[in-house]
Every structure is written in structure tokens, then in C-alpha cells.
Amino acid sequence: MWLFITSILSAHTLSQNKWNHNISLGYQYRTLVPEESFLSSHCSVLQYSGVFTLSGTGGVHAFVEPSMGIVGLNQSILQPSVSMILGFQLGNSFTIGSGPTVSTRDDQENTFFPQILIEGSLLLHVDGSTIPIKFGYVPMSYGLTQYQLTIGYTWN
Amino acid sequence: MLLFIILFFSSLSQAERVSNILSAPPIKFMHGFRFGYGYTNIDPAEHELLHSKWLYLIGYELNQKLLGGDWIDVIFVENISVVGLNQSLFIPSGNALIGFEFHDSFQLASGINFVPTEEPFHMVVAAGWTPKVGDINIPFHLTYIPDVHNHWRMYLTTGVNW
């Protein structure tokens, strides 16, 4: 415990880190499983995320992106999910990362269903704004796989 | 035994005095995230939870580097991870390692791996390369966890620390 605390307190402060906010909306295809109440595989997605970028040099940066979202509004379903992506930003244009994503279910015994999310994005820079186009993939687990395409807006 | 104790403590007391013997070497503290993929040599058909031999890993770790002042340093690593999310499993895992870093880039360490199962403790060996990229470090490590029942595990991980 002492090592944990002293390491965190003593680790040097990054000189060029930044915290951005992002809101994205888009489309998700997810396989139908009996544990969920979706009637169609085609779902809408609305997502908010924070993007903490750890600046490196040579065009490689690292980032941590916790996010929360709701899926299925087009079917009058509001299924929340959270995720946390760890990854790398290559230059100013591309990111790739992966991390856990957890969605909720009506099942009393297994309310939270964890999976992994692999995400890549193309960052468009328009008039000083950043427009990320993200593609997400959740590998199949217990019959559920997800593909997601979103477009968003990132601000400081 | 008495002779051994006498020799042990007399060696300490007679050890050559170094000018800064009372001051500990400088320690550098770091922390960061780690993620990667692993393979376990457990047959999923014989296991009640596993559906695949492949396991996704994500975790957080702390590093302490005892700076030797030359080409070699001593490193301590404490890591907590969650394994198996690709199979919707949430298997906690902890590691504590001690080892060496060569030329501020290459690491070799070993220690204890803990997973809350029937046989919770295993040895862990890790080796890898950590290039410094600006203010951050991006580690690449290969980790091997042997097992007497041949249920060994191996992970390839990367991440970021600072």
C-alpha cells in the first residue's frame, strides 16, 4: 500500500497533457441475444466521453478515454453502457485503442455484462475543431458481438 | 548456526565504508496503464468458465526504479489487472515483480502472480522494452507464468506510464 501511494504521489507530472470532451452519435449493429430486449440489430448510439491525452513526441501520444452512452433509442430502449479505452494517437489524424465495455441487462443475476471494445478513429480537423469518426468492434462473447460507427465533436 | 550468525553480522559491521552509505540511492516512481492479450494452456472444454484459450488483459501498475547511476537499475513492479473480458469474464489478477533495467530501456524481472483460484500463487517472469516517447514511456512486455500442471499462461502487453 505504501508503494502504491508513494508511486502515485511521486510520479512526475506530465508537462503536455490535456483533457478534452467529446460527444458522439451514430449507428450500432449488434447481434440479438435472448438476454436483451432489442427487437432489431440496428441501434442508435449516443455517447459522451472524456479524452485524456498524454503527449509524447515523434507523433505518438497515449490517451485514456472513459465514456458513457445509451444504445437503442430508435427502438424506444435505453440501454446504458460504459467503456474505457486505452490507446495511442498517431500524429493528429488516427487513434487506435482497446478497453473494457460494460452494458447493463435486465437479468437479476448478471446485471452487468463486460466485453472488450476495440476502437479506431479518424480525426478530422475543421476550422480548429476536431471531428472524430470512430469505428468500434466488440468481439463475440456469449453470442453478442457489436459493430459501431459514430461521428462526434471534441472540445476542450 | 552461531558461527554463521557471527560471520553474518561481522561482515556487515566490517563492510567497507562508502561515503554515502547512509543515503539510499535515488528512486524514481512511475505509474500507468497496461493492456494486452494472453494465451493460457488450459483446455476450455475442461474448464467451467473459459470459452477460449485467448484472454484480454487490462490493468494499472506502479513502478519504482532504484537508480544505480550507471547502465543498470533495479526495478520493482506492482500490477493489478482484470483478465478475460473478451470472454465476458472478470478475473482479477495481481503481480509483484523485482528485476533489472538495462540502459534505461530493457527490463527483465520475476516475481509473484496471484489469481484467486484453487492454486492462487504462481511465479511470473517478464521481459521487454520500454522506449521513452517525450514525457511518456510506452512499454512492450512478454510475460510468462509457468505452472506445474502445464497450465501455463503468456501475455503480450503494452500501455503507457509516466
Side-chain angles (χ1 to χ4, degrees), chain A residues 4 7 15 98 114 116 141-142, chain B residues 51 56 62 64 88 133-135:
Chain A
F4 263 73
S7 290
S15 58
S98 67
I116 65 163
S141 177
Y142 289 90
Chain B
H51 292 87
Y56 179 79
L62 304 173
Q64 300 84 37
S88 299
V133 184
D135 274 355

Side-chain angles (χ1 to χ4, degrees), chain B residues 63-83:
Chain B
N63 299 297
Q64 300 84 37
K65 194 187 298 185
L66 203 61
L67 301 173
D70 209 328
W71 61 278
I72 191 165
D73 301 317
V74 177
I75 53 171
F76 303 91
V77 180
E78 304 84 39
N79 169 283
I80 50 173
S81 301
V82 175
V83 180

